[in-house]
Amino acid sequence: MMNNTMPQATPVFTIVGSLISVLLQLMLAPSIAVFEVAPNFLLCFAVVNAMFTGVIRATSVGFILGLVYDLIAQGALGAMALVLTIVAYAISSLNKEAISISWTIQALFLLLSAFAGEILYAAELAVIGYDDNFWLSFGMRVIPTTIYCGLIGLIIFLIMNRLNKNKRPEILRSKFK
Amino acid sequence: MALNPNKPKRLPGGVLLLVFCILSIVLMTLWVREGTTGPLHTLRSGVETVTAPVKNVGAVIGAPFRAVGDLITGVSTSTSTVEELRIQNEKLASELIRMEEYRQENERLSALLGLKDAYGLESVGARVIMKGADAWNRVITINKGTASGFTVGMPVLSANGGLIGQIESVSYDSSVVRLITDEKSGVAAFIQSNRTEGIWAGSVDGVLHLEFIAGDVEVKVGDPIITSGSGGVFPKGLAIGEVASIEFAPADVYKTIVVRPISRAGTYEEVLVITGSEAEIVAAQNTGTTTDTAGDASSAEAQQPEGTTGG
């Protein structure tokens, strides 16, 4: 559902943002890993992009970025594609008026979305037998990655919000200054 | 955007969601069912080849960030002096285990003539260009692949001789190595002092365990753990680590043994890939000389790639 409160990102912005996310995942993510936990830039961008775009574009970008992640990483092909498709669809279908009430809600929403993505991925890996200890993975990977992705997602969100502020309806611009 | 009750707005998104979900599940099923030489695995290998230069650039650009990450990860080992001593200690520990292994083998088998030296290993050096692109796999990417004679399954050692993993996938000029601390890693190993064989296995938290060691086996903290060579996955006698702790409850059948790896994950920048034993390579070269009367030099080069060093 389209909304009247969040700015709408242009297709060019989505494409450029996606490419930058892929490059960051390849070049930067391994270098900024803390305690062997590397951030997932593609998840971060797919979540934030879904907050700024409609269902079709968000779902398509989620699927493509997920597939790219699966090709770059060493998990099962299709696993992250499925996760990002579902997460991006769910976010883009939400009533975004509720999300844009305050920065706290937005930050919390990003964190919850990152958590949903990571926990779904962990569950998938457990189901197909790639991860034999779900609860240990939950503590060692899901939680740290969620926090990391939440922080990075917030930065991406601020950038997208800033760059797309002119796409927001005039009546609401004052709220985001 | 105003809502129009006559227009089914959610249908295209829902259909798209369904199509992508089915596609993802089909891909996942094919991935799990196909072998390592299947089309999807080949596609990933192709992607690795294409992205290898980007990863190389990333390794250079990311160096300052990596330093910050290392600083956060290992606050207690932040000084260069401590780091140097630690590396030196790792090297000495590895050498000690190897020497002990040679000594014990000599004692047991010195009566046998013509014993083939199992430790004459050929290895090729490679540089680590990426350490784990995601949080779910403990893997590293190295800058050599099939062009250097690498194949899937080759053991990988750190520069100090400790086993760190095994090549999982290989492309033309890069290879992905799954580390021994990953939960998907595991192979036969034994305790050097009493030759008791067990299975070492990685875990989600990166701790190495030696499993299936019976409760009545005497194990001490500090006992070296080495590969047993069973199953032919790794050559016999490669140093893995030493016993860090032992837990055993009277009701248990097996002891819970935690192994401290000789080569700590994330500290190495260069690795050695074991491409075969010296004897095998000499035999292969001899076979090539006798069967190929044309003297094809390229086959000899393939057997002994550039940068080959004795193990």
Side-chain angles (χ1 to χ4, degrees), chain A residues 103-113 154:
Chain A
W103 291 110
T104 319
I105 298 285
Q106 285 159 356
L108 192 66
F109 184 76
L110 280 168
L111 213 57
L112 284 173
S113 304
L154 196 61

Side-chain angles (χ1 to χ4, degrees), chain B residues 148-160:
Chain B
S148 300
F150 292 0
T151 57
V152 171
M154 284 181 168
V156 181
L157 311 180
S158 65
N160 63 21

Side-chain angles (χ1 to χ4, degrees), chain B residues 85-286:
Chain B
L85 286 172
R86 190 190 56 71
I87 291 167
Q88 194 179 17
N89 189 42
E90 283 179 359
K91 193 174 180 181
L92 288 171
S94 170
E95 281 177 6
L96 190 66
I97 291 173
R98 282 177 68 86
M99 290 304 110
E100 177 63 16
E101 184 59 17
Y102 275 120
R103 191 187 65 77
Q104 287 193 15
E105 179 127 342
N106 282 337
E107 277 182 5
R108 285 185 285 110
L109 304 172
S110 57
L112 297 174
L113 294 173
L115 175 70
K116 185 181 172 183
D117 185 357
Y119 305 112
L121 302 171
E122 279 292 319
S123 56
V124 178
R127 184 180 294 276
V128 177
I129 56 173
M130 197 168 83
K131 293 174 183 174
D134 64 310
W136 293 88
N137 295 279
R138 282 191 165 80
V139 293
I140 55 172
T141 307
I142 55 177
N143 70 339
K144 287 183 181 173
T146 51
S148 300
F150 292 0
T151 57
V152 171
M154 284 181 168
V156 181
L157 311 180
S158 65
N160 63 21
L163 182 68
I164 60 168
Q166 186 179 27
I167 292 182
E168 185 180 69
S169 63
V170 62
S171 61
Y172 180 73
D173 55 359
S174 70
S175 306
V176 175
V177 178
R178 188 164 293 279
L179 301 179
I180 57 172
T181 49
D182 188 275
E183 71 260 38
K184 296 179 198 77
S185 293
V187 79
F190 55 41
I191 302 164
Q192 193 177 45
S193 59
N194 54 28
R195 325 302 288 181
T196 307
E197 195 169 31
I199 303 288
W200 62 256
S203 61
V204 175
D205 52 1
V207 176
L208 266 182
H209 293 273
L210 186 63
E211 298 171 343
F212 306 114
I213 298 295
D216 58 349
V217 173
E218 192 180 334
V219 189
K220 295 189 296 294
V221 171
D223 277 351
I225 307 296
I226 56 176
T227 53
S228 70
S230 299
V233 179
F234 292 111
K236 185 180 177 184
L238 298 178
I240 299 170
E242 57 182 27
V243 174
S245 69
I246 307 150
E247 285 178 27
F248 181 64
D252 292 345
V253 177
Y254 299 113
K255 288 183 173 174
T256 305
I257 298 174
V258 174
V259 178
R260 186 186 303 117
I262 283 182
S263 304
R264 202 178 61 172
T267 58
Y268 29 77
E269 293 180 6
E270 291 87 24
V271 296
L272 295 171
V273 178
I274 295 177
T275 52
S277 69
E278 285 170 357
E280 283 171 355
I281 289 170
V282 168
Q285 283 172 341
N286 289 341

